[in-house]
């Protein structure tokens, strides 16, 4: 297998170089406070790159798409789910809407028929790690990072899908994510509008969160599955689809060259 040469992000290279300089300063007898300040100076930038979902420092993250039409991209994370996904597909059909499902690999492995059904109904399947390790993805070792990406790719491949897009759990990245994605022909997609559905107490609250932020070219982050409150599951997406229809927004899957 030919391994692509992919550069490390400039932010990471500069941060490591600055830390190395700090160490050399310390060895050379510089004031310890100066060496320590130099050592920790890159950390705020690294933390920003890792933990701010829209930050571009470590990996290019697409946060909207270019369009002069009244259209948005609905992205539905954390499935597939045997209860929710079929109902969401019916809702999308009813509205003539298309969406991208960012699925978890181990769930896809349990329900390959749902992955195939998503595609058969005209929607897209994307990559959302294999086990959704939202608390530990950022600090995973290189082998764990590779396993999260490759095991989900294998599960989706079993269902006949080769995803183009990746979204890290809760938007938190990894120092080596840019390189790991490039090696697998994946690109990182964030969002414009976070619906807050995973914490909302009602479907109406989801619409209240999305409505004022919706604009042409927006990527809307939605969820499915048992982590949502019972009254929000599927119903939040139903109300968002109704709101989009009322305001004349088509729900589309943008082309790759539209992403920004
Ligand atoms: Zn997720």
């Amino acid at each position: 297998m030919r391994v692509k040469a992919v550069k490390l992000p400039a932010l990471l290279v500069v941060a490591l170089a600055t830390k190395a300089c700090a160490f050399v300063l310390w060895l050379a007898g510089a004031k310890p406070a100066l060496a320590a300040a130099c050592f920790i100076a890159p950390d705020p930038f690294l933390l920003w790159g890792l933990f701010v979902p829209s930050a571009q420092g470590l990996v290019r993250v697409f946060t909207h798409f270019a369009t002069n039409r009244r259209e948005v991209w609905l992205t539905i994370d954390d499935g597939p789910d045997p209860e929710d996904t079929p109902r969401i597909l019916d809702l999308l059909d009813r509205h003539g809407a298309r969406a991208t499902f960012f699925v978890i690999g181990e769930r896809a492995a349990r329900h390959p028929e749902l992955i195939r059904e998503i595609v058969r109904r005209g929607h897209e399947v994307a990559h959302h790690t294999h086990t959704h390790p939202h608390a530990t993805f950022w600090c995973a070792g290189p082998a764990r990072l590779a396993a999260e990406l490759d095991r989900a790719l294998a599960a989706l491949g079993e269902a006949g899908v080769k995803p183009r897009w990746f979204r890290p759990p809760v938007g938190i990245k990894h120092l080596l994510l840019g390189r790991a994605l490039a090696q697998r022909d994946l690109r990182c997609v964030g969002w414009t509008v976070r619906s807050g559905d995973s914490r909302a107490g009602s479907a109406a609250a989801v619409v209240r969160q999305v409505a004022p932020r919706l604009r042409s070219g927006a990527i809307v982050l939605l969820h499915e599955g048992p982590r949502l409150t019972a009254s929000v599951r599927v119903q939040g997406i139903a109300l968002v689809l109704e709101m989009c229809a009322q305001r004349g927004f088509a729900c589309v899957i943008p082309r790759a060259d539209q992403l920004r």
Side-chain angles (χ1 to χ4, degrees):
M1 187 182 77
R2 196 166 67 89
V3 178
K4 286 183 192 170
V6 185
K7 288 189 294 186
L8 290 172
L11 173 60
L12 183 57
V13 173
V14 171
L16 292 175
T18 307
K19 285 182 183 295
C21 286
F23 190 60
V24 171
L25 279 174
W26 178 68
L27 286 178
K31 285 185 178 171
L34 174 67
C38 189
F39 191 81
I40 63 171
D43 293 350
F45 299 97
L46 289 176
L47 293 173
W48 168 79
L50 278 173
F51 293 105
V52 175
S54 60
Q56 303 291 335
L58 292 170
V59 57
R60 174 76 199 274
V61 182
F62 297 110
T63 58
H64 62 283
F65 65 100
T67 180
N68 47 24
R69 297 182 188 167
R70 206 164 165 76
E71 55 191 18
V72 296
W73 184 15
L74 301 188
T75 60
I76 302 166
D77 287 14
D78 294 358
D81 182 82
E83 282 184 41
D84 291 11
T85 307
R87 296 167 63 203
I88 292 167
L89 290 173
D90 289 346
L91 280 172
L92 293 169
D93 276 355
R94 216 171 298 149
H95 285 271
R98 297 179 74 207
T100 297
F101 291 75
F102 283 81
V103 301
I104 297 169
E106 62 182 8
R107 299 186 68 107
R110 281 203 296 274
H111 304 288
E113 75 288 355
L114 291 175
I115 299 298
R116 284 190 284 269
E117 185 64 5
I118 290 169
V119 174
R120 193 187 71 77
R121 305 272 281 267
H123 308 287
E124 183 182 33
V125 172
H127 190 312
H128 194 41
T129 69
H130 192 66
T131 66
H132 203 272
H134 60 277
T136 55
F137 184 71
W138 68 276
C139 60
R144 174 88 194 280
L145 173 64
E148 284 291 339
L149 297 176
D150 292 336
R151 292 176 69 198
L153 284 173
L156 294 177
E158 287 286 312
V161 168
K162 184 183 186 311
R164 299 182 290 170
W165 314 120
F166 172 82
R167 176 177 284 153
V170 297
I172 294 177
K173 298 182 265 337
H174 185 283
L175 289 175
L176 302 176
L177 183 61
R179 189 168 78 157
L181 293 183
Q183 286 168 336
R184 294 163 177 83
D185 285 329
L186 289 165
R187 298 212 278 171
C188 194
V189 172
W191 55 80
T192 319
V193 182
R194 183 177 224 156
S195 69
D197 56 357
S198 49
R199 268 166 288 159
S202 71
V206 176
V207 175
R208 279 200 300 276
Q209 174 73 14
V210 174
R213 295 165 180 82
L214 206 62
R215 58 175 171 79
S216 293
I219 303 172
V220 183
L221 171 63
L222 297 157
H223 293 85
E224 61 177 317
R227 282 203 308 134
L228 275 64
T229 304
S231 63
V232 175
R233 283 177 79 168
V234 184
Q235 198 54 28
I237 292 173
L239 293 191
V240 167
L241 282 165
E242 279 173 27
M243 187 261 294
C244 288
Q246 282 165 7
R247 292 177 54 190
F249 283 106
C251 299
V252 302
I253 298 171
R255 298 188 315 272
D257 64 1
Q258 289 177 277
L259 295 198
R260 301 288 185 272

